[in-house]
């Protein structure tokens, strides 16, 4: 199912976005940028650090075991709804059903056998259907 996907992002929950930006931009030399929170989100802005074709995404929040980092598989033109149905058919635990991502794409979270969260992401340019 994921053989044609690629890792598009790694998501971290961090205690301080400003110090995170200083480390990844100032110390490691990565390009960073802010994205505004989507309507209805409480946490404000999020930080992105760009590395090759992938992105590190930082949300302010408590880091908990099995919650972060979250590996995000970019589905490309694959139908995220169909992929989640395939996961359900394989008895995979769905943590968060298909929902809108802050950038207009779609996302869904599921757990591996040890409870680590993995995520599917369908970019907004590939979203051709509504929830």
């Amino acid at each position: 199912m994921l053989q044609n996907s690629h890792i598009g992002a790694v998501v971290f929950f961090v205690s301080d976005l400003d110090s995170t930006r200083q480390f990844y931009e100032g110390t490691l030399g990565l390009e960073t940028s802010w994205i505004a929170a989507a309507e209805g989100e409480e946490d404000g802005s999020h930080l992105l650090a760009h590395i090759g074709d992938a992105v590190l995404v930082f949300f302010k929040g408590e880091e908990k075991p099995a919650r972060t980092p979250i590996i995000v598989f970019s589905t490309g033109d694959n139908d995220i709804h169909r992929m989640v149905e395939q996961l359900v058919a394989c008895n995979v635990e769905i943590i968060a059903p298909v929902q809108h991502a802050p950038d207009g794409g779609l996302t869904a979270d599921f757990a591996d056998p040890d409870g680590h969260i993995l995520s599917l992401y369908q970019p907004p340019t590939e979203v051709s259907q509504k929830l």
Side-chain angles (χ1 to χ4, degrees):
M1 173 187 340
L2 292 176
Q3 63 272 24
N4 295 322
S5 300
H6 68 277
I7 295 176
V10 179
V11 177
F12 296 87
F13 289 92
V14 298
S15 60
D16 185 297
L17 289 169
D18 290 324
S19 63
T20 299
R21 182 175 193 173
Q22 177 57 40
F23 177 76
Y24 283 91
E25 185 175 290
T27 303
L28 299 183
L30 298 178
E31 177 186 338
T32 64
S33 60
W34 294 102
I35 58 172
E39 188 173 321
E41 286 185 327
E42 307 170 2
D43 294 342
S45 297
H46 311 306
L47 179 66
L48 302 178
H50 308 276
I51 183 164
D53 291 336
V55 65
L56 305 178
V57 182
F58 301 95
F59 293 95
K60 184 169 174 47
E62 183 180 352
E63 180 177 342
K64 296 179 183 176
R67 180 177 179 208
T68 186
I70 299 170
I71 305 299
V72 180
F73 294 96
S74 182
T75 65
D77 62 358
N78 292 321
D79 179 3
I80 193 170
H81 294 280
R82 184 181 48 76
M83 295 176 83
V84 170
E85 289 172 3
Q86 291 174 329
L87 291 169
V88 169
C90 294
N91 296 316
V92 172
E93 179 185 5
I94 304 301
I95 303 296
V98 176
Q99 56 192 309
H100 289 284
D103 68 353
L106 297 174
T107 185
D109 298 338
F110 59 99
D112 77 2
D114 290 310
H116 299 289
I117 297 174
L118 301 171
S119 186
L120 297 174
Y121 169 73
Q122 186 172 335
T125 57
E126 305 298 336
V127 174
S128 61
Q129 57 188 338
K130 296 183 180 181
L131 295 175

